[in-house]
Amino acid sequence: FFLVVHHCVVINNNLSQNKSVTMKYNKFVSSSRRKNRRRHFNAPSHIRRQIMGVALSKQLCREYGVPRLTLPIRRDDIVKVITGKFKDETPAKVIRVHRKKYRLFIDNIQREKANGAQVKVPIAYSNVVITKLKLDGYRKNLIKKKVQRKLRARSRLGLDPSGLKQQKKSDKTDKTETKVDLD
């Protein structure tokens, strides 16, 4: 009897070790896939604005002095499609942000219908990067606040605040010195 009980305990221990246990940081936020999908697709417009955050291009990030930055997309921003069928198109202006469907309509991205009419093609917000911002007072303050917060957090973590990779000059000089002609 003792051996059987002991054997069952070992099986239970093995089962608990195989499960990947991740710690929850906030007990009020669900990790259920079903609940997360429900909240995503039933989100109100002001939450969808936050969800539809688009990354800034490397050049814009360098301009603001941060490694990466995302901002909510808005109508007159100029974006470049980076994935999908239209990734070779030139950067163009966002004509419409369709929050209900989580899609963007971009100026030069369109297709021809069977009757010959041209229609805009909806593009997912996750497939674009912002190359030029439409700036107003509110947006300037938002960027300033986000950049300050990001730089403060990076310095607190002991990281390079700008996040730009700097090449070591000493390595380059060592490589040139080692190339000596032995003939």
Side-chain angles (χ1 to χ4, degrees):
F1 180 76
F2 177 76
L3 290 172
V4 174
V5 173
H6 181 69
H7 185 66
C8 290
V9 171
V10 171
I11 289 172
N12 286 340
N13 283 342
N14 287 339
L15 289 175
S16 66
Q17 288 173 356
N18 291 341
K19 288 173 91 176
S20 62
V21 180
T22 56
M23 195 169 84
K24 282 183 81 165
Y25 295 107
N26 186 347
K27 68 177 183 176
F28 299 109
V29 176
S30 173
S31 56
S32 162
R33 182 171 189 266
R34 176 172 60 172
K35 290 178 184 176
N36 279 312
R37 283 178 59 80
R38 186 179 68 203
R39 288 188 179 117
H40 178 79
F41 292 111
N42 294 330
S45 184
H46 71 285
I47 302 295
R48 284 177 188 243
R49 177 181 168 273
Q50 291 174 343
I51 292 171
M52 292 181 76
V54 176
L56 270 59
S57 66
K58 287 181 181 177
Q59 182 184 1
L60 272 179
C61 287
R62 219 174 290 125
E63 190 178 305
Y64 290 112
V66 289
R68 68 193 65 82
L69 193 66
T70 60
L71 283 177
I73 191 77
R74 65 166 287 177
R75 194 171 72 193
D76 290 324
D77 287 340
I78 294 176
V79 297
K80 177 165 179 35
V81 180
I82 53 170
T83 57
K85 184 179 173 183
F86 300 100
K87 72 178 180 182
D88 298 327
E89 296 287 336
T90 57
K93 192 180 286 192
V94 175
I95 292 178
R96 180 179 176 205
V97 178
H98 199 302
R99 287 188 192 166
K100 180 86 173 156
K101 292 187 175 180
Y102 290 108
R103 294 288 184 266
L104 306 173
F105 290 93
I106 301 170
D107 198 19
N108 65 345
I109 295 180
Q110 51 196 9
R111 68 176 182 83
E112 191 173 309
K113 284 171 63 174
N115 66 2
Q118 295 286 329
V119 289
K120 302 282 182 212
V121 178
I123 303 290
Y125 69 94
S126 57
N127 295 344
V128 300
V129 291
I130 298 173
T131 56
K132 191 168 187 289
L133 291 164
K134 163 87 168 157
L135 288 173
D136 56 4
Y138 172 78
R139 212 128 189 248
K140 285 179 183 174
N141 288 338
L142 178 68
I143 292 169
K144 183 179 172 186
K145 209 166 34 174
K146 278 192 150 205
V147 167
Q148 284 176 346
R149 189 182 309 136
K150 184 160 280 217
L151 294 177
R152 196 169 41 243
R154 288 184 68 82
S155 65
R156 203 176 301 133
L157 290 170
L159 299 169
D160 178 29
S162 67
L164 302 174
K165 294 179 181 174
Q166 306 206 354
Q167 295 177 347
K168 296 178 181 174
K169 292 178 183 175
S170 61
D171 288 348
K172 285 185 178 179
T173 55
D174 291 341
K175 287 179 184 175
T176 55
E177 290 172 8
T178 55
K179 293 180 182 178
V180 178
D181 192 18
L182 299 173
D183 285 338

